[in-house]
Amino acid sequence: MSKLKKTRIEARQDVHEIMRLLLKREQKIDRNREHLWVLGLAADNTILLIELVSMGSVTRTIAEPMEIYSLALQKRSVKIILVHNHPSGLLKPSAADKEMTDRMIQCGRLLKVPVLDHYIISDKGYYSFAEDGLLAELEQSTKYMLEYEVKALGVKEGKQTGEKNKAREIARHMKSLGYGVPEIMKLTGLEKAAIQRLKV
């Protein structure tokens, strides 16, 4: 495993190949259980740490944020990659996989050590949360977001909505006074189609 440290992740397939080789080193009886690893990375995607965090049953493994982040932080990792295997070979995230990833994304946000990706691997291939767009989707989740962040997000969205409504009211008034669409666009920042839809 020490040889794999200092390796730079250049492409998504690199993670699968490294972790597939590690899984093959496990005793045959243990290969039929889910493993969860964390890879700690430097800013240039050089591997600083590969740690087996949890070994579970045939269908699931459980790990707490403290277990996932403790060694990564000690090694001064600036981002992490989560990897776990599915002994069934099915490369599809379960509800529990998504839930755990959601929690780790929020922990990473707080610690300023983001989750770069989460891989599900088997001998046949891999599934990447980032490649499939699921990571970006989970980054928008507020389920595990701290309460003050949710409130701040609501205030920001409310402010943006208020500004849009104000711009529409100004545009409606200008339209009623006979201003042309180009002038209204310039003064309000609204799109042409949005101005044309306004009823006076």
Side-chain angles (χ1 to χ4, degrees):
M1 195 179 298
S2 58
K3 288 181 182 177
L4 295 173
K5 290 173 189 172
K6 308 285 185 186
T7 301
R8 186 180 292 179
I9 303 298
E10 304 280 356
R12 297 195 196 284
Q13 303 90 287
D14 295 347
V15 175
H16 172 245
E17 192 54 36
I18 289 166
M19 300 313 295
R20 193 177 62 80
L21 291 172
L22 278 180
L23 187 59
K24 276 191 171 182
R25 290 184 192 173
E26 291 289 333
Q27 293 180 20
K28 194 170 184 179
I29 194 166
D30 287 337
R31 280 188 228 146
N32 293 327
R33 298 164 69 185
E34 281 201 13
H35 296 61
L36 173 66
W37 296 271
V38 63
L39 277 71
L41 305 177
D44 66 352
N45 286 351
T46 299
I47 297 173
L48 301 174
L49 162 84
I50 300 176
E51 184 70 24
L52 177 63
V53 177
S54 172
M55 192 186 305
S57 66
V58 176
T59 57
R60 67 181 304 186
T61 183
I62 300 168
E64 292 299 319
M66 181 176 64
E67 296 166 313
I68 286 175
Y69 273 100
S70 60
L71 284 171
L73 291 171
Q74 286 176 40
K75 293 290 184 182
R76 303 286 191 264
S77 303
V78 297
K79 46 195 164 184
I80 65 168
I81 294 175
L82 303 170
V83 182
H84 81 279
N85 67 308
H86 277 180
S88 66
L90 186 65
L91 297 172
K92 184 179 177 185
S94 67
D97 295 338
K98 293 175 190 176
E99 191 85 0
M100 188 261 287
T101 307
D102 191 354
R103 285 180 73 202
M104 296 312 149
I105 286 169
Q106 294 309 322
C107 290
R109 186 174 281 153
L110 185 65
L111 295 167
K112 306 285 190 235
V113 181
V115 176
L116 193 63
D117 205 343
H118 183 173
Y119 288 78
I120 299 170
I121 64 166
S122 75
D123 286 337
K124 297 171 186 174
Y126 71 91
Y127 171 89
S128 157
F129 277 58
E131 198 170 45
D132 194 46
L134 183 54
L135 193 77
E137 187 181 311
L138 290 171
E139 284 171 343
Q140 302 307 310
S141 167
T142 58
K143 184 172 184 179
Y144 292 105
M145 196 178 276
L146 294 173
E147 192 176 331
Y148 79 89
E149 288 185 306
V150 175
K151 284 180 182 174
L153 189 66
V155 168
K156 184 180 176 184
E157 287 175 351
K159 188 177 177 184
Q160 288 171 343
T161 301
E163 286 170 357
K164 284 180 185 173
N165 288 341
K166 186 178 177 182
R168 279 194 287 267
E169 283 306 310
I170 292 168
R172 189 176 283 114
H173 183 65
M174 289 177 74
K175 204 172 175 183
S176 72
L177 294 173
Y179 283 87
V181 171
E183 291 172 290
I184 299 172
M185 286 173 65
K186 191 175 179 181
L187 289 168
T188 64
L190 293 173
E191 299 277 330
K192 183 178 180 179
I195 294 166
Q196 289 173 335
R197 282 196 301 269
L198 290 174
K199 293 178 182 177
V200 180

